[in-house]
Amino acid sequence: TREDRKTIWLVPMVHIGHPKYYETLSKLLPAGGVVLNEGVTDRKNLLTNDVSYARAATMLGLEEQRKSFELPGKAVAADLDVDQFSPGTIHMLNVVLLPHSKGFNSETLKRLSEYQPTDEDVDQCWDDLLGKRNLNLLAGIASWLPESETIIVPWGAAHMPGIASGIQEMGFRCKEEQGITAIPFRR
């Protein structure tokens, strides 16, 4: 929260989780705010493989976020398009997404084992996937603050440290934290 009573809900998400996780989140979040959605678009069809977590969710007995999570407010796209990533990142995504769309087979394993990204490629990929997207989201938050008392940010958990740091620079302070189990592991 901030002194002007503006509130930002940071909601660390997982792409696949237990249905109760998504149900609990849907009930917990306040209605009526602006929801700044995560979700990279691909308007120029630069990715050659679909990004789907359905196979992994099914194998693990879980559900995909996009199928189970009900957003409580005005949903607004707040992410980048793939064409804003470097060519190296796009190539890396096309290789590492093979198992998501085609499963593990001799072709995908061969392509994965032959791919040898440099340290610079990996650093650039992380900057594209986290850094650039976080900066874009923070600009979106700043633009929505004058129009909304409540902003909800259901983005991947890996984004949260950078987003939290950015909104703290805008004058926000953590009022409350709550833990919710996304994937229950049995002993």
Side-chain angles (χ1 to χ4, degrees):
T1 60
R2 197 165 68 174
E3 287 181 8
D4 61 2
R5 298 185 186 202
K6 301 282 183 172
T7 302
I8 299 176
W9 287 67
L10 296 184
V11 186
M13 298 299 296
V14 293
H15 296 298
I16 59 174
H18 193 275
K20 186 147 182 79
Y21 168 68
Y22 300 115
E23 178 185 323
T24 301
L25 282 179
S26 297
K27 290 177 182 175
L28 176 71
L29 297 172
V34 172
V35 180
L36 299 180
N37 282 335
E38 178 181 19
V40 174
T41 55
D42 187 14
R43 290 187 276 277
K44 295 181 181 177
N45 297 314
L46 298 173
L47 296 180
T48 56
N49 299 295
D50 293 332
V51 180
S52 171
Y53 297 95
R55 184 186 312 269
T58 299
M59 285 176 28
L60 297 170
L62 302 172
E63 288 188 12
E64 287 184 273
Q65 169 187 339
R66 64 182 173 179
K67 289 185 178 178
S68 296
F69 186 49
E70 295 182 29
L71 300 170
K74 176 183 179 178
V76 176
D79 213 333
L80 296 177
D81 191 83
V82 172
D83 70 355
Q84 294 172 281
F85 294 163
S86 71
T89 295
I90 295 168
H91 177 67
M92 185 179 296
L93 291 172
N94 282 327
V95 173
V96 300
L97 291 174
L98 279 167
H100 284 283
S101 63
K102 300 192 179 0
F104 283 102
N105 57 47
S106 59
E107 176 195 341
T108 60
L109 290 174
K110 181 177 187 276
R111 296 248 337 252
L112 285 169
S113 67
E114 291 173 347
Y115 181 58
Q116 300 290 322
T118 65
D119 289 344
E120 292 80 18
D121 292 334
V122 174
D123 290 344
Q124 180 63 57
C125 183
W126 279 116
D127 183 55
D128 285 341
L129 294 179
L130 289 176
K132 283 183 184 178
R133 292 173 63 208
N134 285 357
L135 288 174
N136 188 71
L137 172 66
L138 289 167
I141 289 171
S143 72
W144 278 99
L145 279 172
E147 298 182 38
S148 181
E149 295 300 311
T150 303
I151 295 176
I152 300 169
V153 181
W155 276 50
H159 291 276
M160 290 299 141
I163 297 168
S165 176
I167 65 171
Q168 286 172 348
E169 290 176 15
M170 295 178 194
F172 286 86
R173 297 292 168 250
C174 182
K175 179 181 176 184
E176 181 182 344
E177 292 183 26
Q178 182 172 350
I180 302 170
T181 301
I183 301 172
F185 293 97
R186 297 178 193 223
R187 294 180 193 198

